[in-house]
Amino acid sequence: MKDYFETNRIQHIIVDEAQNFCTEDGNWYEKAKGITRRVKCCPGILWIFLDYFQTSHLKKSGLPNFLCQFPKEKLTQVVRNADKIAEFLQQEFRKIRANPPFSIPQGSLSMFHGFYWAQGVSGTHEITYLTLEKMVSYVADKCDVFLSKGYSPQDIAVLFSTDREKKAYEHMFLREIRKRTRASQMNDASICHSNMFDSIRRFSGLERSIVFGINPIATEQPISHNLLLCLASRATKHLYILYLSTPEGYSSTVAC
């Protein structure tokens, strides 16, 4: 929005994760609508995909009033997550419905009454409290095990709460993972270019078989459960949520 780009050849627009757009750089919705409706005799298509439950900020999204969002379709059936992850998603959905942030339209809450998934899919969901040093070793050890079992770096995502945290700690995790791959005589070249590391918000809309959530604490408390929901929905088989504990604190694992 804030940079000029040629729109004369654009007729159709698809927007994903629209609930996380902001109006600080302009009214993106009106601009997109204007582009697709430029040719009166042959209007284009404007498709907008969004999930208010995965809202990652409390700013104005630029979307029209919920009652004016018409026509709309509901996609509520989840089929890609392992049982334990899907159960955790259900739990977080209920918490958001019970105490939604003010940025979520009340009307959107009634759209969700539960979802279904292909049950019987095995997987992992663990919540662990570790010091930063132990957390780095934990992730490196797990990655080494998964890579030795035939998974590729493209199957793994290490996600941080913010892009700032990703930039601050990524090198620590990458260095330790490289140590493990060299010790096991695996080629670590692909790890350097696998895009394993990202922030939860930037990774929204993507998914991996194995996801590590590094201290997933929202910068704005009202959307804390939304952040966890966004994180968990990125994992199809194995989800590890790792919280920082103080050096004097304890380390523990909760298998869910």
Side-chain angles (χ1 to χ4, degrees):
M1 283 297 302
K2 61 184 177 182
D3 296 322
Y4 173 81
F5 62 95
E6 182 60 51
T7 62
N8 291 334
R9 296 185 179 182
I10 298 176
Q11 185 178 4
H12 311 295
I13 296 177
I14 298 176
V15 178
D16 196 14
E17 304 294 334
Q19 78 281 353
N20 290 328
F21 280 42
C22 298
T23 57
E24 55 192 15
D25 294 321
N27 193 330
W28 65 268
Y29 174 76
E30 289 298 328
K31 185 169 185 177
K33 188 169 66 172
I35 292 171
T36 55
R37 295 183 179 180
R38 183 174 51 239
V39 182
K40 300 296 183 182
C41 61
C42 186
I45 295 172
L46 174 58
W47 282 353
I48 298 177
F49 294 88
L50 65 138
D51 181 357
Y52 281 113
F53 284 88
Q54 295 194 43
T55 299
S56 64
H57 62 78
L58 297 175
K59 302 175 184 176
K60 291 184 178 180
S61 66
L63 287 163
N65 184 285
F66 181 76
L67 298 177
C68 299
Q69 295 176 14
F70 183 81
K72 54 176 171 275
E73 296 287 341
K74 296 186 292 184
L75 303 174
T76 58
Q77 188 169 14
V78 176
V79 296
R80 66 180 184 273
N81 302 93
D83 288 356
K84 291 184 178 180
I85 299 173
E87 290 165 2
F88 179 71
L89 289 171
Q90 288 267 33
Q91 172 186 313
E92 293 305 306
F93 266 119
R94 294 190 182 102
K95 289 179 180 178
I96 295 170
R97 284 199 67 188
N99 188 25
F102 65 82
S103 58
I104 294 184
Q106 288 295 318
S108 68
L109 298 174
S110 62
M111 294 180 66
F112 172 76
H113 297 285
F115 57 78
Y116 306 94
W117 67 93
Q119 299 191 19
V121 179
S122 61
T124 308
H125 169 224
E126 291 182 3
I127 300 175
T128 306
Y129 294 81
L130 297 166
T131 62
L132 179 59
E133 182 181 358
K134 290 183 178 180
M135 188 182 293
V136 171
S137 295
Y138 179 94
V139 172
D141 288 339
K142 288 287 186 183
C143 287
D144 187 42
V145 170
F146 282 120
L147 293 172
S148 67
K149 289 183 177 180
Y151 285 95
S152 76
Q154 286 73 28
D155 294 319
I156 303 171
V158 181
L159 305 181
F160 298 83
S161 294
T162 64
D163 191 53
R164 179 183 298 178
E165 291 182 5
K166 179 250 184 185
K167 292 176 180 177
Y169 301 115
E170 172 185 5
H171 69 283
M172 299 173 61
F173 288 87
L174 184 57
R175 182 174 62 244
E176 201 64 27
I177 293 172
R178 284 173 174 167
K179 286 182 182 178
R180 302 296 196 281
T181 57
R182 288 167 184 160
S184 57
Q185 297 183 337
M186 295 181 64
N187 181 11
D188 68 349
S190 60
I191 295 177
C192 302
H193 307 286
S194 66
N195 298 319
M196 284 177 61
F197 304 90
D198 211 336
S199 68
I200 296 172
R201 180 177 177 181
R202 284 174 55 88
F203 201 76
S204 182
L206 304 175
E207 61 183 32
R208 297 283 172 87
S209 297
I210 305 144
V211 171
F212 298 91
I214 307 301
N215 205 38
I217 297 177
T219 55
E220 298 170 296
Q221 195 279 330
I223 58 171
S224 57
H225 291 295
N226 302 76
L227 185 71
L228 283 175
L229 183 70
C230 185
L231 167 65
S233 62
R234 302 307 98 208
T236 58
K237 293 199 69 176
H238 304 284
L239 172 64
Y240 301 93
I241 300 177
L242 311 177
Y243 287 104
L244 282 172
S245 63
T246 61
E248 296 78 19
Y250 63 92
S251 299
S252 65
T253 299
V254 179
C256 304

